[in-house]
Amino acid sequence: MVKELAERLGEVESIVVESKQVERTPNMERCVQSSTSVIEPKGKKSLMLGKKVKLCDMEGHPVANAIIMSLDKSKMVMGKSLGEEYYEVAILFAYKPNAPLFVKDNERKTIQDAVESHIVWSGEFVEVDDT
C-alpha cells in the first residue's frame, strides 16, 4: 500500500500549483488555512489529489504527513460523507501519534491507529507539503 501511494505521489508531484494555498508561520510549526479557500479558483482543489500534505490539529500544529486520496464530495469514508469540509487521506507517518482524529471509528481514535489507512480529515487543517 505504501509503495502504491509513493508511486501515485511521484506521478502527481509534477503538477505545479500556481497559487499559494496555505499560510505558514515563520517557524513553520503551525498550519493555517489562508483566507482564500484551497478550492478556489474553481479546479484548484483537484490539483491537491495525490499531493503529499501535513495534517494539523485544531491548534494548527502538524500531527502527521499523508497523501490526499479523494476530494469527491459524495464519497463515504469512515461512515462520513466528505462533502465540502473533509478530505480522504492516507496517513504515512505520525509526528504526534497520540493526537486525536477529527472523525473516529471503532478501530481508529488516534493518528497512530490510522497510520497506513484511509481516514477523513478536515480540509481546513491540511497543508500542502512542499518538501
Side-chain angles (χ1 to χ4, degrees), residues 8-20:
R8 186 170 180 183
L9 177 62
E11 291 172 7
V12 288
E13 281 184 333
S14 62
I15 298 172
V16 177
V17 179
E18 297 173 1
S19 65
K20 182 178 179 184

Side-chain angles (χ1 to χ4, degrees), residues 8-80:
R8 186 170 180 183
L9 177 62
E11 291 172 7
V12 288
E13 281 184 333
S14 62
I15 298 172
V16 177
V17 179
E18 297 173 1
S19 65
K20 182 178 179 184
Q21 294 180 339
V22 292
E23 296 174 8
R24 299 181 194 157
T25 59
N27 64 6
M28 301 295 281
E29 291 180 7
R30 293 179 59 88
C31 308
V32 181
Q33 187 75 27
S34 71
S35 59
T36 306
S37 172
V38 294
I39 62 171
E40 297 199 25
K42 192 170 182 167
K44 289 292 182 183
K45 184 175 178 179
S46 64
L47 293 176
M48 292 184 67
L49 188 62
K51 286 284 187 182
K52 187 174 173 187
V53 295
K54 289 183 183 176
L55 305 181
C56 301
D57 61 18
M58 294 186 78
E59 295 174 350
H61 299 106
V63 296
N65 75 0
I67 293 176
I68 302 277
M69 300 305 292
S70 179
L71 306 167
D72 181 352
K73 293 184 265 187
S74 63
K75 186 166 185 183
M76 296 287 290
V77 180
M78 297 177 73
K80 183 161 194 64

Side-chain angles (χ1 to χ4, degrees), residues 70-102:
S70 179
L71 306 167
D72 181 352
K73 293 184 265 187
S74 63
K75 186 166 185 183
M76 296 287 290
V77 180
M78 297 177 73
K80 183 161 194 64
S81 177
L82 296 181
E84 293 287 337
E85 184 179 353
Y86 294 100
Y87 298 158
E88 176 186 8
V89 298
I91 305 243
L92 301 175
F93 178 80
Y95 302 129
K96 294 185 178 179
N98 295 323
L101 300 177
F102 277 99

Side-chain angles (χ1 to χ4, degrees), residues 1-2 5 55 63-67 78 89-99 101 105 107-119 121:
M1 181 165 132
V2 174
L5 293 174
L55 305 181
V63 296
N65 75 0
I67 293 176
M78 297 177 73
V89 298
I91 305 243
L92 301 175
F93 178 80
Y95 302 129
K96 294 185 178 179
N98 295 323
L101 300 177
D105 62 15
E107 296 85 33
R108 298 169 290 188
K109 306 223 183 301
T110 66
I111 291 290
Q112 185 60 45
D113 298 337
V115 171
E116 296 187 3
S117 70
H118 293 211
I119 63 163
W121 201 262

